[in-house]
Amino acid sequence: MNDPTSGTVVLVIILMIAAVPVVRYIRMKRYFASEEFQSAKAELSAVVKEHNEITDYASEIRNRKLFELGVSSTGGESHLATYENTSRHNYKRDRNVANFQAPNVHNCSLQVVRNASGDPLTYLMRYFDIKANEQSLERVESLGESISSLEGAIQNLHDREASITNSINPPKFIMKHYRTRFMEQMGVELSPIEIPYPEYVFEYVSAGGNSSQRTTVKLTSDTIDALIEKMSERIRFRKSAAGQRALMTTRLRSFIKDRDNHTCQTCTISVAAEPHLLLEVDHITPVSRGGMSTPENLQTLCWRCNRTKSNKVPA
Ligand SMILES: [Zn+2]
């Protein structure tokens, strides 16, 4: 250990390891300042601008539409009381305190928790008061539409980000270590929006609070489509007109887009002309004004035309 050269070697190795991120940082700074990057950025400015407009549109959808449905009967009146755990032995009970306050949590027996995992839709309808009637079906369908338009917008943003990255093709280390900074430098606003899939929980908490079990049902597009099918099987449509209408599911939305050749029925822009075009399915006469979910009352619109229309006609 007294050999001075071995000490120097160790020191050099340490300095080299420490230098890696510093060198990478300097290379990154150089890349973003380079002529090559700056001109690529200028060329894509229109693409970036449109990406950011869709980011705004996604937050509009998030704020304008409802993402809720049904309430647990155990939580319906909980706002009338306050809950406190007054047990003297509650020092480690925090984890297993029954959540009577949350509307999306149904407190029930262990048997119900287990049955709900086997037959989630039936239990969801029964315990969260989602009745098999036309009104309630319309609410579920409209939730499905909100989720599908937000999913569509967010997927579209990801596709656009991938295409921006591909057309610039930055050095590998940039995308590996500085992806967020790359998007920032490009002027791309990354959407912080997550899809607020409603979640319904069946929860059993033992009397002593020592154990708990839960089954969670998350309303993704697939779950919502299955729920719509199940509800419609149970509804005896009183008026034949309502019975004639189609179910507003993912399948119907893609049928309408195919029928319309993935072309906006207002401005005639199409996916063929613009591969990343965000298309939506619109009720020509809105549901709120008695419009039905029939193929004749449905049309494909691009997000811009649909946005303009939604701003004129409150949904
Ligand atoms: Zn259009």
Side-chain angles (χ1 to χ4, degrees):
M1 281 307 284
N2 292 333
D3 180 0
T5 49
S6 79
T8 313
V9 168
V10 169
L11 188 66
V12 166
I13 290 173
I14 289 173
L15 283 175
M16 279 167 71
I17 292 169
V20 170
V22 176
V23 170
R24 191 194 293 139
Y25 184 83
I26 294 168
R27 285 174 66 205
M28 175 271 289
K29 285 288 205 185
R30 273 201 198 139
Y31 173 71
F32 286 134
S34 71
E35 181 73 22
E36 177 201 358
F37 175 75
Q38 290 301 327
S39 69
K41 178 183 168 177
E43 228 165 88
L44 283 181
S45 68
V47 176
V48 169
K49 184 167 172 275
E50 184 161 2
H51 172 282
N52 294 345
E53 282 166 7
I54 296 180
T55 306
D56 290 347
Y57 180 57
S59 64
E60 262 176 46
I61 299 172
R62 176 69 184 84
N63 296 331
R64 174 160 39 91
K65 303 209 173 175
L66 275 181
F67 290 88
E68 282 164 29
L69 192 77
V71 192
S72 154
S73 50
T74 56
E77 288 169 357
S78 65
H79 61 284
L80 300 174
T82 54
Y83 175 79
E84 217 180 331
N85 187 348
T86 55
S87 163
R88 273 197 275 164
H89 308 287
N90 69 358
Y91 61 97
K92 54 180 177 181
R93 295 250 169 97
D94 289 354
R95 231 180 298 162
N96 293 328
V97 170
N99 193 350
F100 290 106
Q101 303 274 351
N104 285 14
V105 177
H106 184 75
N107 297 99
C108 52
S109 69
L110 191 54
Q111 196 58 46
V112 171
V113 171
R114 287 183 181 154
N115 292 349
S117 77
D119 190 4
L121 297 181
T122 304
Y123 277 75
L124 181 69
M125 289 176 69
R126 187 180 302 164
Y127 290 97
F128 288 93
D129 201 28
I130 300 170
K131 295 197 172 66
N133 61 36
E134 288 167 37
Q135 253 188 337
S136 171
L137 177 60
E138 265 177 21
R139 275 203 298 274
V140 176
E141 288 179 313
S142 126
L143 172 70
E145 288 186 89
S146 308
I147 285 181
S148 133
S149 29
L150 198 50
E151 276 177 345
I154 288 175
Q155 183 56 50
N156 189 269
L157 288 172
H158 290 321
D159 294 349
R160 283 167 185 270
E161 283 151 26
S163 129
I164 288 170
T165 311
N166 284 341
S167 58
I168 291 204
N169 196 17
K172 285 219 165 55
F173 82 97
I174 292 280
M175 290 325 278
K176 192 174 171 201
H177 297 280
Y178 300 106
R179 184 179 180 275
T180 311
R181 194 184 279 254
F182 172 79
M183 290 301 177
E184 230 174 67
Q185 288 286 326
M186 284 300 296
V188 172
E189 288 162 26
L190 293 173
S191 164
I193 295 165
E194 284 180 27
I195 302 165
Y197 294 108
E199 283 192 349
Y200 296 88
V201 177
F202 294 87
E203 186 180 59
Y204 162 76
V205 178
S206 69
N210 291 324
S211 70
S212 74
Q213 284 194 38
R214 38 172 41 203
T215 292
T216 304
V217 184
K218 187 172 171 181
L219 293 191
T220 60
S221 294
D222 286 349
T223 321
I224 292 175
D225 285 351
L227 181 61
I228 289 171
E229 303 272 354
K230 191 172 194 85
M231 288 172 82
S232 78
E233 280 165 22
R234 291 193 183 175
I235 297 172
R236 293 169 188 274
F237 289 97
R238 259 161 269 119
K239 286 180 190 152
S240 59
Q244 294 303 306
R245 73 181 186 79
L247 295 171
M248 202 60 208
T249 57
T250 309
R251 194 191 301 167
L252 179 60
R253 280 188 287 271
S254 41
F255 169 80
I256 299 295
K257 286 181 192 170
D258 286 346
R259 182 199 66 186
D260 294 345
N261 282 322
H262 300 265
T263 303
C264 174
Q265 299 302 293
T266 299
C267 73
T268 73
I269 191 168
S270 73
V271 169
E274 204 190 289
H276 287 304
L277 182 65
L278 174 59
L279 290 173
E280 300 185 319
V281 172
D282 165 63
H283 283 85
I284 298 169
T285 304
V287 175
S288 59
R289 298 196 180 168
M292 292 281 209
S293 298
T294 50
E296 309 79 70
N297 191 42
L298 293 168
Q299 64 175 348
T300 306
L301 289 184
C302 75
W303 72 277
R304 283 183 197 281
C305 293
N306 201 20
R307 184 195 217 180
T308 310
K309 188 182 168 185
S310 319
N311 290 342
K312 281 184 199 151
V313 189

